[in-house]
Amino acid sequence: MLLTMDAPVLVTANEKMQMTQVKVDAPHPGEVRVKMFASGVCHSCLHAYDGSHATPMPIILGDEGSGVVESVGEGVTTLVPGDHVIISWLMNCGTCQACRNGKPAHCWAPSPFGALLDNTQRFHNAKTNENILHYGPATYAPYTVVPESSAIKIRKDMPLDKAALIGCSVTTGFGAVTNAAGARPGESVAVVGCGGVGLNSIQGARVSGAFPIIAIDTSEAALKMAVKLGATHTINAATEDVVAATKKICPRGVNYSIAAVGNTKAMISCLEMLSAGGTMVVLGAPPSGTTIEFDPTARILTGERRMIGSKYGSSNPHVEFPMLIELYLNGKLDLDSLLTGSYRLEEADKAFEVLAKGGHGRGLITFEQ
Ligand SMILES: NC(=O)c1ccc[n+]([C@@H]2O[C@H](COP(=O)([O-])OP(=O)(O)OC[C@H]3O[C@@H](n4cnc5c(N)ncnc54)[C@H](O)[C@@H]3O)[C@@H](O)[C@H]2O)c1
Ligand SMILES: [Zn+2]
Ligand SMILES: [Zn+2]
């Protein structure tokens, strides 16, 4: 059945989103339609909103959300209406060799940007009939449509607001340390950029038994939150020399540096603070087309250092979302302290303004139920 909803549509970068009447198609075979409960506000969407990432439009943003399955398409076998789900933004096919191998980030046939797997949209402007693009799972839509493999069923006693955060920032930040870096007890971890993603790298480091755990940010408020979530040391990047300050704590450099901000200067610092044998994990996404320069002999070769990328914390959401929920429900993962701002859908622009200032944990949009 076709539905109509009011959703914020980004038409021009650096301008407010337009609340638009949007028609939502019924899910196609292999897809599910989800009534959204909550959506976190991620800097990846802010990159599209402020134009730092070149993004086709008109588009509905949102990459981090939870909700309840409203209807399922033909052939869907793992979900029924009423199931509680966290949405994965990978939009992977679920059936290729990489997906079956638990590496959905390496999917051979993921949805093309702005569309579902069959390269078409489920959102249409109700007045003009123009197609509206999906920013991955488009979790700012009160109703969204995703492939079956992108809606991960969760236990019903998990609060859906906290669950939404697992859809991007928690899984990405946590997994960067536990999966991509693979930090072990007593190894040192520095996290550069302690926002929604980086704060969860701090938590991943804490749960892994890492020490010291060094939080680095330009905002004192972010550093305060980092300490609450497990950082043992802090460095203010606005006032201190980040590499020198890190080497005061770890004179031979750190085992792992996590670049959790889309800033090239911060990325160079991450490389320069590594010990011999150390690994830098790239999470942040600098503006489209930006590059960094470094001396490969001094920085990589002689110290056998590594620089690796981590998409979605190198996770398999079907395994990791339920695991993170268990950690939360058993007091091992703090999701409550991450939530610092609550917004109605109409206030999504305001949520971006707050996020852009830094130091604010995670804002959450909640939908009318
Ligand atoms: N790899 C992935 O799969 C993945 C997933 C989600 C987000 N991201 C990217 O990760 C980045 C962070 O996302 P977020 O939602 O946590 O953002 P955020 O805005 O919540 O956090 C960024 C933090 O960095 C701090 N900061 C800004 N400039 C800094 C500097 N020069 N040095 C140190 N700290 C600085 C800010 O104060 C803020 O606390 C973004 O680029 C986003 O696109 C990547
Ligand atoms: Zn995100
Ligand atoms: Zn696949």
Side-chain angles (χ1 to χ4, degrees), residues 245-262:
T246 305
K247 291 206 170 162
K248 261 195 195 155
I249 304 163
C250 294
R252 284 183 298 279
V254 293
N255 295 116
Y256 303 105
S257 61
I258 313 293
V261 56

PDB file of all heavy atoms in Angstrom, residues 245-262:
ATOM      1  N   ALA A 245      52.034  16.059  23.074  1.00  0.00           N
ATOM      2  CA  ALA A 245      51.298  15.724  24.316  1.00  0.00           C
ATOM      3  C   ALA A 245      51.049  14.223  24.407  1.00  0.00           C
ATOM      4  O   ALA A 245      51.117  13.626  25.491  1.00  0.00           O
ATOM      5  CB  ALA A 245      49.983  16.499  24.360  1.00  0.00           C
ATOM      6  N   THR A 246      50.795  13.583  23.268  1.00  0.00           N
ATOM      7  CA  THR A 246      50.571  12.128  23.280  1.00  0.00           C
ATOM      8  C   THR A 246      51.871  11.421  23.669  1.00  0.00           C
ATOM      9  O   THR A 246      51.868  10.461  24.443  1.00  0.00           O
ATOM     10  CB  THR A 246      50.107  11.649  21.882  1.00  0.00           C
ATOM     11  OG1 THR A 246      48.953  12.395  21.512  1.00  0.00           O
ATOM     12  CG2 THR A 246      49.763  10.169  21.879  1.00  0.00           C
ATOM     13  N   LYS A 247      52.993  11.938  23.154  1.00  0.00           N
ATOM     14  CA  LYS A 247      54.283  11.273  23.439  1.00  0.00           C
ATOM     15  C   LYS A 247      54.751  11.509  24.866  1.00  0.00           C
ATOM     16  O   LYS A 247      55.604  10.788  25.374  1.00  0.00           O
ATOM     17  CB  LYS A 247      55.309  11.680  22.390  1.00  0.00           C
ATOM     18  CG  LYS A 247      54.933  11.080  21.033  1.00  0.00           C
ATOM     19  CD  LYS A 247      56.086  10.877  20.102  1.00  0.00           C
ATOM     20  CE  LYS A 247      55.622  10.064  18.893  1.00  0.00           C
ATOM     21  NZ  LYS A 247      56.510  10.156  17.743  1.00  0.00           N
ATOM     22  N   LYS A 248      54.184  12.506  25.540  1.00  0.00           N
ATOM     23  CA  LYS A 248      54.469  12.671  26.976  1.00  0.00           C
ATOM     24  C   LYS A 248      53.843  11.515  27.741  1.00  0.00           C
ATOM     25  O   LYS A 248      54.368  11.032  28.730  1.00  0.00           O
ATOM     26  CB  LYS A 248      53.857  13.990  27.468  1.00  0.00           C
ATOM     27  CG  LYS A 248      54.851  15.092  27.557  1.00  0.00           C
ATOM     28  CD  LYS A 248      54.278  16.230  28.383  1.00  0.00           C
ATOM     29  CE  LYS A 248      55.123  17.476  28.167  1.00  0.00           C
ATOM     30  NZ  LYS A 248      54.390  18.683  28.420  1.00  0.00           N
ATOM     31  N   ILE A 249      52.678  11.069  27.262  1.00  0.00           N
ATOM     32  CA  ILE A 249      51.972   9.959  27.940  1.00  0.00           C
ATOM     33  C   ILE A 249      52.559   8.617  27.500  1.00  0.00           C
ATOM     34  O   ILE A 249      52.773   7.726  28.318  1.00  0.00           O
ATOM     35  CB  ILE A 249      50.452  10.033  27.618  1.00  0.00           C
ATOM     36  CG1 ILE A 249      49.884  11.398  28.023  1.00  0.00           C
ATOM     37  CG2 ILE A 249      49.691   8.901  28.323  1.00  0.00           C
ATOM     38  CD1 ILE A 249      48.535  11.732  27.406  1.00  0.00           C
ATOM     39  N   CYS A 250      52.807   8.470  26.206  1.00  0.00           N
ATOM     40  CA  CYS A 250      53.381   7.230  25.654  1.00  0.00           C
ATOM     41  C   CYS A 250      54.653   7.619  24.880  1.00  0.00           C
ATOM     42  O   CYS A 250      54.573   7.924  23.678  1.00  0.00           O
ATOM     43  CB  CYS A 250      52.395   6.568  24.686  1.00  0.00           C
ATOM     44  SG  CYS A 250      50.913   5.960  25.457  1.00  0.00           S
ATOM     45  N   PRO A 251      55.811   7.620  25.534  1.00  0.00           N
ATOM     46  CA  PRO A 251      57.030   8.153  24.890  1.00  0.00           C
ATOM     47  C   PRO A 251      57.389   7.460  23.573  1.00  0.00           C
ATOM     48  O   PRO A 251      57.957   8.087  22.684  1.00  0.00           O
ATOM     49  CB  PRO A 251      58.110   7.912  25.945  1.00  0.00           C
ATOM     50  CG  PRO A 251      57.365   7.853  27.244  1.00  0.00           C
ATOM     51  CD  PRO A 251      56.026   7.249  26.937  1.00  0.00           C
ATOM     52  N   ARG A 252      57.065   6.173  23.411  1.00  0.00           N
ATOM     53  CA  ARG A 252      57.403   5.503  22.143  1.00  0.00           C
ATOM     54  C   ARG A 252      56.254   5.579  21.130  1.00  0.00           C
ATOM     55  O   ARG A 252      56.323   4.969  20.071  1.00  0.00           O
ATOM     56  CB  ARG A 252      57.782   4.044  22.403  1.00  0.00           C
ATOM     57  CG  ARG A 252      59.192   3.897  22.988  1.00  0.00           C
ATOM     58  CD  ARG A 252      59.591   2.444  23.166  1.00  0.00           C
ATOM     59  NE  ARG A 252      58.724   1.759  24.105  1.00  0.00           N
ATOM     60  CZ  ARG A 252      58.852   1.834  25.432  1.00  0.00           C
ATOM     61  NH1 ARG A 252      59.802   2.567  25.968  1.00  0.00           N
ATOM     62  NH2 ARG A 252      58.019   1.190  26.227  1.00  0.00           N
ATOM     63  N   GLY A 253      55.201   6.308  21.482  1.00  0.00           N
ATOM     64  CA  GLY A 253      54.040   6.411  20.594  1.00  0.00           C
ATOM     65  C   GLY A 253      52.955   5.430  21.003  1.00  0.00           C
ATOM     66  O   GLY A 253      53.170   4.576  21.863  1.00  0.00           O
ATOM     67  N   VAL A 254      51.800   5.545  20.358  1.00  0.00           N
ATOM     68  CA  VAL A 254      50.663   4.692  20.746  1.00  0.00           C
ATOM     69  C   VAL A 254      50.559   3.474  19.815  1.00  0.00           C
ATOM     70  O   VAL A 254      50.968   3.521  18.665  1.00  0.00           O
ATOM     71  CB  VAL A 254      49.316   5.466  20.712  1.00  0.00           C
ATOM     72  CG1 VAL A 254      49.282   6.539  21.792  1.00  0.00           C
ATOM     73  CG2 VAL A 254      49.047   6.078  19.339  1.00  0.00           C
ATOM     74  N   ASN A 255      49.973   2.412  20.344  1.00  0.00           N
ATOM     75  CA  ASN A 255      49.755   1.211  19.524  1.00  0.00           C
ATOM     76  C   ASN A 255      48.700   1.470  18.448  1.00  0.00           C
ATOM     77  O   ASN A 255      48.827   0.999  17.318  1.00  0.00           O
ATOM     78  CB  ASN A 255      49.301   0.035  20.397  1.00  0.00           C
ATOM     79  CG  ASN A 255      50.364  -0.401  21.394  1.00  0.00           C
ATOM     80  OD1 ASN A 255      50.187  -0.311  22.600  1.00  0.00           O
ATOM     81  ND2 ASN A 255      51.505  -0.846  20.893  1.00  0.00           N
ATOM     82  N   TYR A 256      47.651   2.209  18.834  1.00  0.00           N
ATOM     83  CA  TYR A 256      46.556   2.459  17.876  1.00  0.00           C
ATOM     84  C   TYR A 256      46.115   3.911  17.970  1.00  0.00           C
ATOM     85  O   TYR A 256      45.929   4.434  19.076  1.00  0.00           O
ATOM     86  CB  TYR A 256      45.340   1.565  18.187  1.00  0.00           C
ATOM     87  CG  TYR A 256      45.687   0.098  18.178  1.00  0.00           C
ATOM     88  CD1 TYR A 256      45.812  -0.606  19.366  1.00  0.00           C
ATOM     89  CD2 TYR A 256      45.919  -0.573  16.974  1.00  0.00           C
ATOM     90  CE1 TYR A 256      46.156  -1.952  19.366  1.00  0.00           C
ATOM     91  CE2 TYR A 256      46.262  -1.907  16.962  1.00  0.00           C
ATOM     92  CZ  TYR A 256      46.384  -2.597  18.163  1.00  0.00           C
ATOM     93  OH  TYR A 256      46.735  -3.917  18.155  1.00  0.00           O
ATOM     94  N   SER A 257      45.920   4.537  16.822  1.00  0.00           N
ATOM     95  CA  SER A 257      45.279   5.854  16.802  1.00  0.00           C
ATOM     96  C   SER A 257      44.032   5.738  15.942  1.00  0.00           C
ATOM     97  O   SER A 257      44.053   5.093  14.882  1.00  0.00           O
ATOM     98  CB  SER A 257      46.233   6.919  16.251  1.00  0.00           C
ATOM     99  OG  SER A 257      46.612   6.617  14.929  1.00  0.00           O
ATOM    100  N   ILE A 258      42.956   6.329  16.448  1.00  0.00           N
ATOM    101  CA  ILE A 258      41.672   6.251  15.747  1.00  0.00           C
ATOM    102  C   ILE A 258      41.314   7.661  15.281  1.00  0.00           C
ATOM    103  O   ILE A 258      41.130   8.567  16.109  1.00  0.00           O
ATOM    104  CB  ILE A 258      40.555   5.737  16.708  1.00  0.00           C
ATOM    105  CG1 ILE A 258      41.002   4.485  17.504  1.00  0.00           C
ATOM    106  CG2 ILE A 258      39.251   5.498  15.945  1.00  0.00           C
ATOM    107  CD1 ILE A 258      41.228   3.239  16.699  1.00  0.00           C
ATOM    108  N   ALA A 259      41.244   7.852  13.970  1.00  0.00           N
ATOM    109  CA  ALA A 259      40.922   9.172  13.421  1.00  0.00           C
ATOM    110  C   ALA A 259      39.412   9.267  13.252  1.00  0.00           C
ATOM    111  O   ALA A 259      38.862   8.821  12.251  1.00  0.00           O
ATOM    112  CB  ALA A 259      41.632   9.366  12.088  1.00  0.00           C
ATOM    113  N   ALA A 260      38.748   9.836  14.254  1.00  0.00           N
ATOM    114  CA  ALA A 260      37.276   9.866  14.251  1.00  0.00           C
ATOM    115  C   ALA A 260      36.742  11.268  14.005  1.00  0.00           C
ATOM    116  O   ALA A 260      35.729  11.676  14.580  1.00  0.00           O
ATOM    117  CB  ALA A 260      36.744   9.301  15.576  1.00  0.00           C
ATOM    118  N   VAL A 261      37.424  11.996  13.145  1.00  0.00           N
ATOM    119  CA  VAL A 261      36.949  13.317  12.715  1.00  0.00           C
ATOM    120  C   VAL A 261      37.402  13.493  11.264  1.00  0.00           C
ATOM    121  O   VAL A 261      38.478  13.026  10.880  1.00  0.00           O
ATOM    122  CB  VAL A 261      37.486  14.446  13.647  1.00  0.00           C
ATOM    123  CG1 VAL A 261      39.009  14.440  13.733  1.00  0.00           C
ATOM    124  CG2 VAL A 261      36.978  15.817  13.216  1.00  0.00           C
ATOM    125  N   GLY A 262      36.561  14.126  10.469  1.00  0.00           N
ATOM    126  CA  GLY A 262      36.876  14.297   9.045  1.00  0.00           C
ATOM    127  C   GLY A 262      37.780  15.496   8.825  1.00  0.00           C
ATOM    128  O   GLY A 262      37.388  16.462   8.177  1.00  0.00           O
TER     129      GLY A 262
END
